[in-house]
Amino acid sequence: MKKLVMLASAAVLALSLNSCSSDDNGGGGVSDAKLVGKWAHETERVVAGGQVLQPEQPYSDNEAGCAKDFIQFGETGAFTYGDYWSSECDLDTDVTTWTRDGKDITVGEGTEAETFTVMSVSATKLKVKYVTTLQGVNFTEELTFSKVD
């Protein structure tokens, strides 16, 4: 199970999206304006083949004593993933671009692109899901973020 969480976390790391217009494109209330800003990792949940493998729990990769790992959507299409690690709270960042089409956020370009679906977004909370198939089984990781700024 930790391998799956690491896979989904790596997918989040791969978030490299291109800018797009701020129209809704059928996103059911999802807009670029709602996404722009810094979001801290809060919780994660994993479902496989319709069975809950990991109930919602605090995000496992947040380093104790450090600020929470984060994602940041920029107004001009820049995307940053921040990962705090070690007892010294060292920060690694990955900067790329982002695009949105309706409720789908594509992170990365070409074969490195990953797509996440916005389940809900408000002024303070963002919930997305990432679906991958391994050996014919669909795995869904749901990630919840809190707005930092």
Side-chain angles (χ1 to χ4, degrees):
M1 179 166 24
K2 183 68 174 172
K3 188 181 243 183
L4 174 62
V5 171
M6 301 229 5
L7 172 66
S9 296
V12 173
L13 278 171
L15 292 174
S16 58
L17 308 163
N18 293 317
S19 68
C20 65
S21 66
S22 62
D23 65 304
D24 188 49
N25 293 332
V30 177
S31 68
D32 291 3
K34 285 184 178 180
L35 295 173
V36 167
K38 187 174 181 180
W39 300 88
H41 281 279
E42 294 293 338
T43 65
E44 60 190 347
R45 176 178 184 250
V46 179
V47 177
Q51 300 293 322
V52 175
L53 292 182
Q54 174 184 309
E56 189 170 48
Q57 64 184 27
Y59 183 70
S60 62
D61 285 345
N62 282 331
E63 201 67 39
C66 299
K68 294 180 179 175
D69 293 348
F70 66 89
I71 59 174
Q72 185 167 4
F73 297 94
E75 290 180 5
T76 60
F79 181 87
T80 303
Y81 174 80
D83 178 27
Y84 291 95
W85 61 279
S86 82
S87 59
E88 288 81 34
C89 298
D90 294 316
L91 174 63
D92 281 340
T93 57
D94 184 21
V95 179
T96 188
T97 58
W98 66 278
T99 58
R100 182 189 59 82
D101 182 13
K103 291 183 178 184
D104 293 334
I105 300 170
T106 301
V107 182
E109 296 179 11
T111 60
E112 300 299 314
E114 300 288 346
T115 299
F116 298 81
T117 301
V118 176
M119 299 171 70
S120 62
V121 62
S122 71
T124 59
K125 293 285 183 194
L126 170 63
K127 187 169 187 173
V128 299
K129 69 179 177 180
Y130 173 75
V131 179
T132 189
T133 302
L134 299 171
Q135 298 178 348
V137 177
N138 284 340
F139 289 83
T140 302
E141 182 172 28
E142 298 171 2
L143 300 167
T144 303
F145 301 86
S146 291
K147 189 79 172 254
V148 176
D149 62 3

